[in-house]
Amino acid sequence: MVDTNNPEEQERYFKDATENVRRNAFYMQEELDKDRLHDAIKHAYTMIGELRTSKQVIENNNNNLFLCQCFVCMCKKKKKMMVTSELAHLETHVMDKFREKQKANEATALEWLTELYNRVQFCGNIVPRLYLLITVASVKLKAYKEWHEDTMKTIFDVVELSKGVQHPTRGLFLRNYLSQVCRSALPDVPDGVLNVLNFYNHNNNDDVGSLDDHPFIKQSVDFVLKNFAEMTRLWVRMQHQGAVRDRVRREKERLQLRMLVGTNLRRLSELNCISKAVYQDYVLKNLLENIVKSKDKIAQDYLMECIIMVFGDEYHLATLESFLSAVNKLHSSVAVNQIVIKLMNRLAKYAEQGADHRQSFQDKNVFETFEQQVKEIIQKHTKLTIDDTLGLYVELVNFAAQCYPGKDDYVVSMIKESLHTIQKNNNQVPASSVAHLSRMLLAPLKSMQLRVFEVKEYRDLISFLDFAQKRQVSADMVGSLVQLDNVYLRTPEQVELVFGMIEPLWCDPDQDKSKKHDTAGLDKDKDKDTEKGGNVKKSGDDDEQGQDKDDAPKKKDKSKKKADSERDDGGDSSCESIHEQHTAGREETKSSDDETFENEQNLMAKLIQLIYNEDTDTHYQALLYTYAYIYTYIYTLHLARKYFGQGGDRRLVYTFPPLVFNCLSLIARTHGLLSSEERSNAITMKPKKMFQFVHKICHIYGTHCPELGCRIWLQAALAAERCALSEISYEFFSQAFLCYEEYVSDSNEQYEALRCFISGLQSVKNLEQDNFDTLRSKCVQHAQRLLKKPHCARTLALCAHLYWDVAYTPFFNFFLHIKYLHIMCIFFITEFKQADVATKCLKKSGQKINSMMDGVEKIEMFVELLNKYVYLIMKQCPDVTMIFPFVHFVYLCIYTCLLFSFFDRFFRNIYFYFYFRLNCRK
């Protein structure tokens, strides 16, 4: 006997046995090549003799236990030969020999095969004898596959002979080999038969037949069932052999051999004859009977799982009650909750595949069946922990959400049961149950969407998690919401519920709890302007202006002190102060993972985009544009701002920009509705009121992130411009320049901000001339103050467009087609265009380029400036004061290009200049 606890002795025995198998396999193949079958069988007998030993070899590789019992699989680690593969060579040779004799004489071939079948039965030892007997029998089964009577007789003869091997391990491998050989020879329904029921219906009527009408097919099913029952008994018997101290080792060995038993169930599922009716009336009954009789925890756990996995979902729906009733009869130590959970998950995935599959759940109330089963399990198995109970409830929630998306009461009932279970446990949730609680919070979102937040018990569940767990669950909840289609936060109540659940994403754990839901001031303002009998707020500016007045002195004092300190310390101090402010904001939060924080805030930004309220209902032609829709949307944005204002500077950088753009989109829609006379009377919340809200957010955001704040001010100004609100547009432009002057100190950021300003001003159409002159003059002044000469030159060249390439105002365009008035309109339009200032901007740009030291960059700048000249000439800019500076500029360009051998490119641009110049003169 090999000492299984001695690795060296195991390895030595393993090598010796492997060498014996290789040597005899080589001799067997050599005899087969010489066509000496009798001698080859002798070597095969010796080779198989290694399988009859009771010695066991166990290899431990990378902490994994591999049972190499009987060396059926020698290639686990070192690519050893398999005994069964060598027997396959013997089977192939016997088949070829039989086919050769069959061509000469059918009777002689059959007589020879029968003689060989009887000869191998005279082998001395039973294990080699049965392996050789099965090998020769496989040839007979394949040769006479259509002879169902002889086939089944041979198979059952081998089955009866296999009972002689009662050693558990040897018997398992022997019967697995028998099942593998007989797989292709079993009588079955032909593959071409699409409807198995029609095949059973031998009378061609509507009555479904049974296996009794097809005895050979029934024998095939009986063979697999019988083999399964025998292998199950052998597998269970392994647990009761040996000393008690080796129980753990035996359990590991059994787990390694479990696939041998489960293969029978897979063979059974592959038979075409197993229809839904056959499975329900005959197969499942035998399988469950054998599993229950085993009274073994490992066997019942694994085999019940195998039944769930190998058979179809339609079969499980048809036999749900029978299967669940058998679950209650299993051994008390079996984890029945896991079996039920796996079955629910399998059916839930089946329901997700389409509406047709989900319809089968509507016809049969599966949820109530599972719910009753879960209650029986909890009542019967008193040893179930809270982790097991919550695991069952969360799977029921997931099952109801996927299979019955329209029945919210199923989900709500399970959530209430879960909360009741936690309360019975003194409101304590173990660490192992946190995952179940998180899944329960996420599972209903897809089916119930925002309706689930209205369930009080659902909101109470998150209170049992700590802050880190709440934060993770909240991020997952928001991620699920933003991925849903046609889901919007339409009312303030929905914002209140959702944001109350995802509190860790907008509020730190050490923050004052009394401020989190402080919306009393907002409610007071709301009550002041509420109509009788309604909940609608009147339009007005006093309430928000009052808030601005309260907040304005503090903000102005802070910004003034900050600006004075920056002027005293220089431009770099402003950049340093902003950097210190952001550093302090990062230190205030307890999160150490900045990437996780950024992802969470990006999800919050996406959530803001879900704040939407339609102006009309489905009745478009009824013109029912009520004030409640627009006000509700505005009030929702107000409420969202109340929450975000508590999240700290670090969160405002992510959450305020989408809030601004959401409001700007609302302003655009409201302006479109006001343009219609029929609908304007139903709207009392004007764009001017909404721009005050945007002004508040931009003012706060500009002090924390000035680089992006300038751009947001600019976007708000352009939105006001599109609404023909010139005074508001000028105010936003002014605030953008103030933010630029006070906070933006980096030269690159200044250059990019000025480019945005120039681009925005060039598209303006409704500003008054004085305001427009002030803004474009500011652009020229700031462009001249840029530190880097390339930035200064490029920006000055862009400023030239503000003095010539400007848009016409809608007022002037309206009168251009009227006789005698177009001359006066052109007079006013020309005041916006100043060719001399445009020329001065280009001249100053050329001077900055000429003072540059880098020759290569200088040439590129000259090319860009030359293109600006050509563009303005194409736009018919007057050249009274421009031609002489331009000629001088061309001279400098040519001189520079000759020095750097870059004449060809400039010559092409100069040629185009003179070409367009002559055309302009014509």
Side-chain angles (χ1 to χ4, degrees), residues 340-397:
V340 176
I341 287 174
K342 290 174 182 177
L343 181 58
M344 284 192 290
N345 290 336
R346 175 72 184 269
L347 295 178
K349 292 179 180 178
Y350 174 73
E352 284 185 340
Q353 296 176 4
D356 297 338
H357 295 170
R358 196 175 294 116
Q359 183 61 34
S360 59
F361 290 89
Q362 303 297 333
D363 300 337
K364 183 178 181 180
N365 199 333
V366 182
F367 176 81
E368 293 183 357
T369 304
F370 275 118
E371 183 181 12
Q372 183 64 29
Q373 178 66 26
V374 168
K375 291 181 179 179
E376 292 180 2
I377 290 175
I378 296 174
Q379 184 178 3
K380 180 179 178 181
H381 297 77
T382 57
K383 295 183 179 180
L384 287 178
T385 62
I386 185 175
D387 185 26
D388 299 330
T389 304
L390 290 178
L392 288 170
Y393 285 148
V394 71
E395 294 303 333
L396 278 174
V397 170

Side-chain angles (χ1 to χ4, degrees), residues 492-721:
E493 290 76 13
Q494 290 180 344
V495 174
E496 183 77 25
L497 293 175
V498 173
F499 281 40
M501 286 286 291
I502 60 173
E503 181 181 296
L505 298 184
W506 54 263
C507 184
D508 293 330
D510 55 349
Q511 199 163 340
D512 186 6
K513 301 295 182 180
S514 63
K515 297 181 180 180
K516 289 183 181 178
H517 301 285
D518 185 14
T519 58
L522 197 61
D523 294 335
K524 290 179 182 179
D525 294 338
K526 179 180 176 182
D527 295 336
K528 289 180 181 179
D529 298 323
T530 302
E531 295 186 51
K532 293 182 178 181
N535 195 20
V536 181
K537 185 177 178 182
K538 292 287 187 180
S539 63
D541 299 339
D542 296 338
D543 53 345
E544 292 199 11
Q545 288 177 357
Q547 294 179 3
D548 287 339
K549 290 179 181 179
D550 294 337
D551 298 337
K554 297 180 180 180
K555 297 178 180 177
K556 288 183 178 179
D557 293 340
K558 291 182 180 179
S559 61
K560 184 176 180 181
K561 292 179 181 179
K562 186 174 182 180
D564 294 338
S565 63
E566 290 173 357
R567 292 190 186 98
D568 295 337
D569 298 337
D572 294 337
S573 63
S574 176
C575 183
E576 293 176 359
S577 63
I578 294 175
H579 176 71
E580 292 175 358
Q581 184 177 4
H582 282 281
T583 304
R586 286 194 297 269
E587 293 177 354
E588 289 177 359
T589 58
K590 296 182 179 181
S591 174
S592 60
D593 192 353
D594 293 339
E595 183 177 358
T596 302
F597 176 80
E598 183 176 357
N599 294 334
E600 292 172 353
Q601 298 308 308
N602 288 333
L603 289 174
M604 291 297 297
K606 293 180 180 179
L607 183 64
I608 299 174
Q609 301 301 333
L610 299 182
I611 299 177
Y612 181 81
N613 197 310
E614 298 176 353
D615 295 330
T616 61
D617 205 348
T618 56
H619 305 287
Y620 174 78
Q621 296 181 354
L623 300 178
L624 297 178
Y625 289 89
T626 61
Y627 167 75
Y629 280 114
I630 298 297
Y631 165 68
T632 299
Y633 184 41
I634 285 292
Y635 180 63
T636 300
L637 293 178
H638 274 289
L639 188 59
R641 180 182 174 273
K642 283 285 184 179
Y643 280 112
F644 292 142
Q646 304 172 20
D649 300 344
R650 198 180 182 196
R651 290 182 172 87
L652 298 183
V653 177
Y654 298 94
T655 54
F656 270 21
L659 195 61
V660 171
F661 285 103
N662 195 325
C663 191
L664 292 179
S665 66
L666 172 63
I667 292 173
R669 292 194 292 115
T670 306
H671 178 69
L673 296 176
L674 289 173
S675 62
S676 176
E677 296 181 359
E678 297 178 357
R679 305 175 188 176
S680 59
N681 296 330
I683 299 176
T684 57
M685 187 67 65
K686 308 298 182 182
K688 184 179 179 180
K689 179 73 173 181
M690 302 178 191
F691 275 117
Q692 293 179 2
F693 174 68
V694 174
H695 190 279
K696 287 182 180 181
I697 302 177
C698 292
H699 183 75
I700 298 173
Y701 185 77
T703 59
H704 295 89
C705 189
E707 293 82 5
L708 294 178
C710 293
R711 290 165 172 79
I712 292 181
W713 281 115
L714 183 59
Q715 291 295 328
L718 295 177
E721 165 68 20

Side-chain angles (χ1 to χ4, degrees), residues 808-825:
Y808 299 115
T809 60
F811 176 77
F812 294 146
N813 289 332
F814 178 76
F815 292 102
L816 280 177
H817 66 282
I818 302 178
K819 190 175 182 180
Y820 302 118
L821 292 179
H822 69 281
I823 299 176
M824 182 178 65
C825 295

Side-chain angles (χ1 to χ4, degrees), residues 5 16 60 155 181 224 233 235 291 308 348 375 466 643 653 681 706 827 834 897:
N5 296 323
D16 293 343
N60 193 337
I155 290 176
V181 167
V224 180
R233 283 192 284 269
W235 188 40
I291 293 174
I308 296 173
K375 291 181 179 179
D466 57 25
Y643 280 112
V653 177
N681 296 330
F827 172 76
Q834 300 180 13
C897 291

Side-chain angles (χ1 to χ4, degrees), residues 139-152:
V139 177
K140 186 177 181 180
L141 295 176
K142 294 177 182 179
Y144 299 99
K145 185 177 181 180
E146 302 300 330
W147 296 6
H148 296 322
E149 184 176 359
D150 294 341
T151 298
M152 297 311 303

